[in-house]
Amino acid sequence: MIDLNAIGRKARAAQIQIATASSAAKNRALEAIADSLLAHTEQILEANARDLDAARASGMSPSLMDRLALTQVRVQAMAQGVRDVASLPDPVGRILSGGTLKSGLEMQKITVPLGVIGIIYEARPNVTSDAAAICLKSGNACILRGGKEAIHSNTAVANAMRAALPQAGFDENCVTLIEDTSRETSRELMRLHSYIDCLIPRGGAGLIRSVVENATVPVIETGVGNCHAYIDRTADLEMATEIVFNAKCSRPSVCNALETLLVDAEIAPTALPRIYARLQEKNVEFRGCEKTCRLLPQAVPATQTDYEIEFLDYILAVKVVEGLDEALEHIRRFSSHHSEVIVTRDLEAARRFALEVDSAAVYVNASTRFTDGGEFGLGAEIGISTQKLHARGPMGLEAMVSYKYVLYGQGQVR
Amino acid sequence: MIDLNAIGRKARAAQIQIATASSAAKNRALEAIADSLLAHTEQILEANARDLDAARASGMSPSLMDRLALTQVRVQAMAQGVRDVASLPDPVGRILSGGTLKSGLEMQKITVPLGVIGIIYEARPNVTSDAAAICLKSGNACILRGGKEAIHSNTAVANAMRAALPQAGFDENCVTLIEDTSRETSRELMRLHSYIDCLIPRGGAGLIRSVVENATVPVIETGVGNCHAYIDRTADLEMATEIVFNAKCSRPSVCNALETLLVDAEIAPTALPRIYARLQEKNVEFRGCEKTCRLLPQAVPATQTDYEIEFLDYILAVKVVEGLDEALEHIRRFSSHHSEVIVTRDLEAARRFALEVDSAAVYVNASTRFTDGGEFGLGAEIGISTQKLHARGPMGLEAMVSYKYVLYGQGQVR
């Protein structure tokens, strides 16, 4: 097993340097990293080919294989992603508030980096460069632990980045990839309290649960989206149909995709067949409550589990509800607090839904698919938080900083 | 053992109601609570007498006895504290930012309550009403677990508060005190992931460590202050002496008190005897490095532990350093990231100290004792965070909220 304490110590030392680096210096490092990724394209693609061979041999599904696969164009996109982060405003050193206190002390509340960020993620190798770029720009060092399916690709990407850091005057340990993908090492990382200031797991419900259960370091939970749409009795059915189609079908494997449809009983007899017909373009399976099955013979009966999980597939859980109160109650019970939408023409229903639904993003008459750092204008995104502490919803550079108070006096005592 | 899941369920149900309550309704509840505390003064003092009897029998120290003791005046102060919280601005429902996205969605980023707050604290019964008031004002329910030394007092205070809530139209389970003070119940509370959105331990290093080790719910670490003063070679020695005296002696038992003094070698021969002489007014014991002991024969040799711990007493760890770099290195190694101060006349030394010291509050020429919610203008304080995630330094009402994004569309899909 590798020595995580040694890795932590080195990351901490590197972080102290980058924490106080100028924006210009950090941007030079990011540009050097982008250049280095391009210069190492051949090595990265060779390493990726080894991962793809292993994946094929293990019978990985075509959609996962596609996530894992790199091409020259994808490596160029990774490099461009790093340059895009360089072009964003520096989140460090912003004065959030300040003024003179009653004691005469001049106070400034100033943004500072979080420190050392641990990131545990799954198959996609582009996360390695995306996450590292966001961490560097915000003055943080990062310790990355990717999935074993992508280990050769991730190592090649990390090596290309580390090679560039000293050229720009930075310690290569600003970015560290843990090459040991064992579960034990992952668990140890979750408990590396002296060296990890914040741990961000990016992946499915199983990974998030394991981190929550095992981590003693501060964690930001991300990415589990059991998202709901509620079709109010006053809804424009054309709009409702298109929103449900888009939210369920445009990319079913992502966390902001729709998983459960709630329909007011008053309009269910017309709404359900119409929505069902539209979603047959993608052969979506409906799993419904008793009333749904009565109104829509094509639906199969839903179990409680169907309301609890993310399908991440062309499957939709459906329930007919007696109005807004029952919809809100269902959402409170089953939502993962990611994204929910009401389709309505009723002002009071919209107001209550926006106020009472306790999720990171609450929509009135729009698809849940908009919950995304780019769509929200954040420029880059390191994940979508589903917890309430620190950061909620899409996390950009601003979620990667803390603050400190600096107080200037002339000998004040209390 | 009590059923914490049942307590959690009830707190969650109560929280849903208070989360969306108006400021006026919450303030009415706080006024009713203040009235009820006064009306129950007799019961509270009787309960407190039982705690004091038990404390005396167990040989509790006079200073701890004083923290535990309630009087009519102290109950009045508790009631006034609750009214003071009522008079503060509501932190919920503030629009932090917003505007129209490229998709045409109108976005608002709005503050919302955290949910259910768990608070584990030690001897002082006034924390019961202070913490509950801050939670209620910020739309949160709270589950309180105080120390066993104060169990009768805490129960009486909590009962007085709970009795008032229904009068103001709120569920009494907005405030719950766990009457079982066993360690097992405390551990279970730290793992009550379905019902606790944020756990705040208030107490000594042992409690904080236990929470960090055992909690699976999101935690805000508070209150451990291994605070440092660095006396630069250019310091005004009169100012340095008064700042050190105040920071060490005005209230040694609190977290913002000074624990370690670092002195530049160039001025140590004059500075150390002078500071030592001043601190002899309070018979402060100096535990010094070799150089300190050579310059100041009254000092006793320091061990590494002396630099690591909070004395919370009239004891000061002292080290002579070769300039700012060594001081910064010592602080990086031993600080608990609470409060540190440099005394200097040198602009560049001040700038570097403010930039490089990674603590919640960094002072130039002022006492560390100012790190306090009241001094920082926060109005009320639920603790002083020493972590970087979510909130740092003194936490007022603004630290008790999260935010959500509300997005209004006209049928947008992606």
Side-chain angles (χ1 to χ4, degrees):
Chain A
M1 225 161 95
I2 56 163
D3 184 354
L4 272 188
N5 278 297
I7 287 177
R9 254 193 314 278
K10 288 183 194 168
R12 174 69 73 207
Q15 175 260 320
I16 287 166
Q17 180 203 20
I18 197 166
T20 55
S22 70
S23 299
K26 290 186 286 188
N27 290 341
R28 273 197 303 277
L30 290 170
E31 293 292 346
I33 283 173
D35 292 342
S36 183
L37 286 172
L38 294 179
H40 287 79
T41 300
E42 202 174 314
Q43 291 92 319
I44 292 170
L45 295 182
E46 272 169 25
N48 187 245
R50 290 165 66 195
D51 285 330
L52 289 171
D53 285 346
R56 234 182 319 268
S58 76
M60 186 184 275
S61 75
S63 73
L64 276 180
M65 288 277 281
D66 179 60
R67 284 184 171 212
L68 177 57
L70 291 176
T71 61
Q72 197 162 12
V73 171
R74 287 189 177 181
V75 174
Q76 283 165 2
M78 287 165 70
Q80 187 55 48
V82 174
R83 290 193 218 282
D84 290 345
V85 171
S87 73
L88 293 171
D90 193 330
V92 175
R94 287 175 51 225
I95 299 184
L96 299 175
S97 61
T100 304
L101 303 179
K102 62 187 176 190
S103 53
L105 291 179
E106 291 155 43
M107 182 170 87
Q108 298 178 346
K109 184 178 179 182
I110 302 179
T111 57
V112 298
L114 286 172
V116 178
I117 312 289
I119 301 173
I120 301 183
Y121 53 107
E122 295 179 336
R124 290 186 305 157
N126 63 316
V127 173
T128 307
S129 61
D130 286 356
I134 291 176
C135 288
L136 290 175
K137 178 79 188 200
S138 49
N140 298 294
C142 59
I143 299 179
L144 306 168
R145 193 279 197 188
K148 71 172 189 303
E149 307 76 15
I151 184 63
H152 297 106
S153 315
N154 288 338
T155 304
V157 170
N159 285 344
M161 293 195 288
R162 284 166 63 93
L165 282 162
Q167 296 166 29
F170 286 101
D171 185 332
E172 63 181 3
N173 296 308
C174 287
V175 178
T176 306
L177 179 86
I178 300 177
E179 297 187 26
D180 172 354
T181 58
S182 70
R183 197 164 288 216
E184 294 68 42
T185 301
S186 181
R187 290 251 168 101
E188 207 190 324
L189 183 66
M190 299 175 198
R191 305 184 70 87
L192 204 63
H193 203 263
S194 313
Y195 300 115
I196 301 273
D197 295 290
C198 173
L199 181 67
I200 304 177
R202 286 185 55 160
L207 170 63
I208 308 294
R209 200 162 39 238
S210 166
V211 169
V212 168
E213 276 302 308
N214 292 295
T216 62
V217 302
V219 169
I220 302 180
E221 292 178 43
T222 71
V224 176
N226 186 9
C227 303
H228 296 74
Y230 168 57
I231 314 303
D232 179 60
R233 69 190 66 177
T234 66
D236 175 331
L237 282 194
E238 167 71 19
M239 185 192 286
T241 303
E242 290 311 309
I243 285 173
V244 172
F245 179 75
N246 181 262
K248 178 72 256 180
C249 301
S250 61
R251 209 169 158 202
S253 65
V254 293
C255 59
N256 59 19
L258 183 66
E259 303 293 358
T260 298
L261 172 66
L262 305 170
V263 182
D264 187 295
E266 200 175 302
I267 55 155
T270 47
L272 277 177
R274 184 163 175 173
I275 293 171
Y276 180 79
R278 176 77 164 107
L279 270 62
Q280 285 327 290
E281 281 181 34
K282 295 287 183 180
N283 297 312
V284 175
E285 177 182 324
F286 276 41
R287 297 192 185 168
C289 64
E290 257 182 55
K291 284 179 196 160
T292 303
C293 292
R294 238 177 291 138
L295 293 167
L296 198 71
Q298 303 94 325
V300 299
T303 64
Q304 176 163 322
T305 308
D306 289 322
Y307 295 115
E308 287 169 351
I309 63 168
E310 285 182 286
F311 297 112
L312 301 172
D313 202 349
Y314 292 105
I315 303 171
L316 185 64
V318 184
K319 190 171 186 220
V320 174
V321 294
E322 299 294 328
L324 181 59
D325 284 320
E326 193 184 344
L328 290 170
E329 197 188 309
H330 183 97
I331 290 169
R332 268 199 293 275
R333 182 162 169 211
F334 294 106
S335 168
S336 64
H337 310 291
H338 190 298
S339 301
E340 331 290 340
V341 53
I342 183 173
V343 185
T344 187
R345 278 189 278 219
D346 184 80
L347 180 62
E348 178 60 10
R351 193 191 71 85
R352 278 195 61 202
F353 194 87
L355 181 68
E356 295 184 29
V357 171
D358 185 23
S359 295
V362 185
Y363 293 86
V364 176
N365 296 333
S367 170
T368 54
R369 292 275 293 110
F370 286 103
T371 306
D372 171 89
E375 291 293 335
F376 279 19
L378 301 180
E381 176 192 292
I382 200 154
I384 296 179
S385 164
T386 53
Q387 73 178 31
K388 288 198 243 179
L389 224 55
H390 187 69
R392 203 171 192 205
M395 296 188 288
L397 288 169
E398 280 187 32
M400 304 303 285
V401 297
S402 179
Y403 54 83
K404 68 178 169 191
Y405 294 96
V406 176
L407 300 107
Y408 294 92
Q410 304 82 38
Q412 278 86 341
V413 296
R414 187 180 166 199
Chain B
M1 225 162 94
I2 55 163
D3 183 355
L4 274 187
N5 277 298
I7 288 177
R9 254 193 314 275
K10 287 182 196 169
R12 174 67 73 207
Q15 175 261 319
I16 288 166
Q17 180 203 21
I18 198 168
T20 55
S22 70
S23 299
K26 290 187 287 188
N27 290 342
R28 273 198 303 275
L30 290 169
E31 294 292 348
I33 284 173
D35 292 342
S36 182
L37 286 171
L38 295 179
H40 288 80
T41 301
E42 203 175 313
Q43 291 92 319
I44 292 170
L45 295 182
E46 272 169 23
N48 188 244
R50 290 164 68 193
D51 286 331
L52 289 170
D53 286 346
R56 236 183 318 268
S58 75
M60 185 184 274
S61 75
S63 74
L64 276 180
M65 288 275 282
D66 179 60
R67 284 185 170 209
L68 178 57
L70 291 176
T71 62
Q72 197 162 13
V73 170
R74 286 190 178 179
V75 174
Q76 283 164 3
M78 287 165 70
Q80 187 55 48
V82 174
R83 290 194 218 279
D84 290 347
V85 171
S87 72
L88 293 170
D90 193 330
V92 175
R94 289 176 50 225
I95 299 183
L96 299 175
S97 62
T100 303
L101 303 179
K102 62 186 174 189
S103 53
L105 290 179
E106 292 154 40
M107 182 170 86
Q108 298 178 346
K109 184 178 178 181
I110 302 179
T111 57
V112 297
L114 286 172
V116 178
I117 313 288
I119 301 174
I120 301 182
Y121 54 107
E122 295 178 337
R124 292 185 306 156
N126 62 316
V127 173
T128 307
S129 59
D130 286 357
I134 291 177
C135 288
L136 289 176
K137 178 78 187 199
S138 48
N140 299 293
C142 59
I143 298 179
L144 307 168
R145 193 280 195 187
K148 71 171 186 304
E149 308 77 15
I151 183 64
H152 298 106
S153 315
N154 288 338
T155 304
V157 170
N159 286 344
M161 294 194 290
R162 284 167 62 93
L165 282 161
Q167 295 166 30
F170 286 101
D171 186 331
E172 63 180 3
N173 296 309
C174 288
V175 178
T176 306
L177 179 86
I178 299 178
E179 297 187 27
D180 171 354
T181 59
S182 70
R183 197 162 289 218
E184 294 68 43
T185 301
S186 182
R187 290 251 169 101
E188 208 192 323
L189 183 65
M190 299 175 197
R191 305 183 71 87
L192 204 62
H193 203 265
S194 313
Y195 299 114
I196 301 273
D197 295 290
C198 172
L199 182 67
I200 304 177
R202 285 186 57 161
L207 170 63
I208 308 293
R209 201 162 39 239
S210 165
V211 169
V212 168
E213 277 302 310
N214 293 295
T216 61
V217 302
V219 168
I220 301 180
E221 292 178 45
T222 71
V224 175
N226 185 10
C227 303
H228 297 73
Y230 168 56
I231 315 301
D232 179 60
R233 68 191 64 178
T234 67
D236 175 330
L237 281 194
E238 167 70 18
M239 185 191 287
T241 303
E242 292 310 310
I243 285 174
V244 171
F245 178 76
N246 180 262
K248 178 72 256 180
C249 301
S250 61
R251 209 169 161 201
S253 66
V254 292
C255 60
N256 58 20
L258 185 66
E259 302 294 356
T260 298
L261 173 66
L262 306 170
V263 183
D264 187 294
E266 202 175 298
I267 56 154
T270 48
L272 277 177
R274 181 163 177 175
I275 292 170
Y276 181 79
R278 177 74 165 111
L279 271 61
Q280 285 327 290
E281 281 181 34
K282 295 287 183 181
N283 297 313
V284 176
E285 178 183 323
F286 277 42
R287 297 191 186 169
C289 65
E290 260 182 51
K291 285 179 195 158
T292 303
C293 293
R294 238 180 288 138
L295 293 167
L296 197 70
Q298 303 95 323
V300 299
T303 63
Q304 175 163 323
T305 308
D306 289 323
Y307 296 115
E308 287 169 352
I309 61 166
E310 284 182 288
F311 299 113
L312 301 172
D313 201 348
Y314 292 104
I315 304 171
L316 185 65
V318 185
K319 191 172 187 219
V320 174
V321 295
E322 300 293 331
L324 181 60
D325 284 322
E326 194 183 344
L328 290 170
E329 197 187 309
H330 183 98
I331 290 169
R332 267 199 293 274
R333 183 163 167 210
F334 293 106
S335 167
S336 65
H337 311 291
H338 191 295
S339 300
E340 332 288 341
V341 54
I342 183 173
V343 185
T344 187
R345 279 189 280 222
D346 185 80
L347 180 62
E348 177 61 10
R351 191 190 72 84
R352 277 195 61 202
F353 194 87
L355 181 68
E356 295 185 28
V357 171
D358 185 23
S359 295
V362 185
Y363 292 86
V364 176
N365 296 333
S367 171
T368 54
R369 291 275 292 108
F370 286 103
T371 306
D372 171 89
E375 292 292 336
F376 279 19
L378 301 181
E381 177 192 292
I382 199 153
I384 296 179
S385 163
T386 54
Q387 73 178 31
K388 289 198 243 176
L389 223 55
H390 186 69
R392 204 172 191 205
M395 293 188 289
L397 288 170
E398 279 187 34
M400 305 304 284
V401 298
S402 179
Y403 54 83
K404 69 178 170 190
Y405 294 95
V406 176
L407 300 108
Y408 294 91
Q410 304 82 37
Q412 278 86 344
V413 296
R414 188 179 165 200

